[in-house]
């Protein structure tokens, strides 16, 4: 216990205020120590370690738990064994997911679809079309721009040509910048696209 207490306190300090650290005595099934007690438990309270089974593994989790007020926890438990291999203590870290779930919801709200640009403006701004076509293609491939194969680049240029991008003045420099390739590469690949089409 004296050796493990500083470890438990260090973990609790690192994860404070989002986690509690509990040291259980499996022989008595009681809480031996607790740091940042989110659950309101105290040393001497029942551990209820039965949920982990026979303690045949060294590490359990992460697994879900809940607090009485409905907050969700992610928990992980490590079995500390004595020299004979018997469970001496079970160290549990219970992380309150509330802050992380709130942050995920906030980020998801930014990713929610927006109403979009007025079509009249969108039609006039060909660079928006360029960015949209390139972005959609990269997302559908799941490959970064700088890792696209030659065939991918040909397919993407064909889509841009079909969308009328190359009918615009100074489109080649914009396409080269959007695709992160040289202007000469755009001209060469576009020539291949149009040769195949004819």
């Amino acid at each position: 216990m004296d050796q493990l207490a500083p470890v438990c306190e260090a973990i609790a300090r690192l994860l404070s205020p989002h986690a509690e650290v509990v040291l259980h005595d499996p022989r008595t099934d009681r809480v031996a120590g607790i740091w940042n007690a989110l659950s309101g438990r105290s040393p001497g309270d029942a551990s209820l370690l039965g949920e982990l089974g026979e303690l045949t593994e060294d590490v359990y989790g992460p697994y879900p738990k809940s607090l009485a007020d409905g907050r969700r926890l992610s928990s992980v438990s490590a079995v500390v064994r004595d020299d004979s291999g018997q469970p001496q203590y079970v160290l549990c870290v219970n992380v309150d997911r509330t802050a992380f779930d709130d942050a995920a919801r906030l980020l998801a709200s930014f990713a929610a679809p927006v109403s979009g640009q007025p079509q009249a403006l969108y039609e006039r701004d060909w660079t928006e079309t360029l960015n949209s076509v390139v972005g959609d293609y990269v997302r559908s491939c799941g490959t970064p721009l700088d890792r696209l194969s030659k065939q991918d680049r040909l397919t993407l240029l064909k889509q841009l040509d079909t969308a009328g991008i190359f009918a615009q003045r100074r489109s080649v420099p914009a396409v080269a910048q959007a695709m992160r390739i040289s202007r000469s590469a755009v001209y060469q690949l576009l020539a291949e696209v149009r040769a195949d089409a004819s």
Side-chain angles (χ1 to χ4, degrees):
M1 176 69 180
D2 291 341
Q3 291 177 320
L4 291 174
V7 175
C8 295
E9 183 169 350
I11 296 170
R13 285 188 189 186
L14 176 66
L15 300 176
S16 179
H18 305 293
E20 75 172 4
V21 180
V22 189
L23 197 58
H24 301 279
D25 184 341
R27 293 163 295 189
T28 61
D29 200 27
R30 296 285 172 183
V31 173
I34 189 164
W35 293 261
N36 192 32
L38 299 177
S39 59
R41 290 178 292 179
S42 302
D45 287 352
S47 291
L48 305 176
L49 287 175
E51 65 188 21
L52 297 181
E54 294 297 318
L55 300 180
T56 55
E57 299 179 34
D58 290 332
V59 179
Y60 294 83
Y63 54 90
K65 294 185 75 171
S66 297
L67 294 175
D69 61 9
R71 284 180 290 169
R72 296 189 310 138
L73 305 175
S74 287
S75 301
V76 66
S77 298
V79 179
V80 180
R81 301 181 185 278
D82 60 21
D83 293 339
S84 65
Q86 294 302 307
Q88 187 174 22
Y89 289 102
V90 178
L91 190 160
C92 295
V93 181
N94 303 312
V95 178
D96 181 357
R97 295 183 50 86
T98 304
F100 308 109
D101 290 343
D102 289 346
R105 279 192 292 275
L106 177 64
L107 291 173
S109 71
F110 280 110
V114 294
S115 60
Q117 281 186 319
Q119 191 62 29
L121 293 176
Y122 188 71
E123 286 173 352
R124 288 193 209 106
D125 190 353
W126 61 270
T127 59
E128 287 287 344
T129 304
L130 165 62
N131 293 338
S132 177
V133 171
V134 172
D136 288 346
Y137 187 80
V138 168
R139 279 189 293 275
S140 70
C141 286
T143 305
L145 273 170
D146 53 1
R147 293 189 186 169
L148 292 179
S149 66
K150 180 181 178 183
Q151 187 56 51
D152 287 330
R153 290 189 175 119
L154 289 169
T155 302
L156 178 52
L157 283 171
K158 182 177 181 181
Q159 290 181 10
L160 292 171
D161 199 20
T162 301
I165 296 300
F166 293 105
Q168 309 298 325
R169 289 184 61 219
R170 298 194 50 79
S171 58
V172 169
V175 170
Q177 183 177 7
M179 291 181 62
R180 297 182 191 160
I181 58 177
S182 67
R183 296 180 192 184
S184 60
V186 172
Y187 282 118
Q188 181 181 357
L189 292 168
L190 185 59
E192 288 187 44
V193 167
R194 289 178 172 170
D196 289 343
S198 60

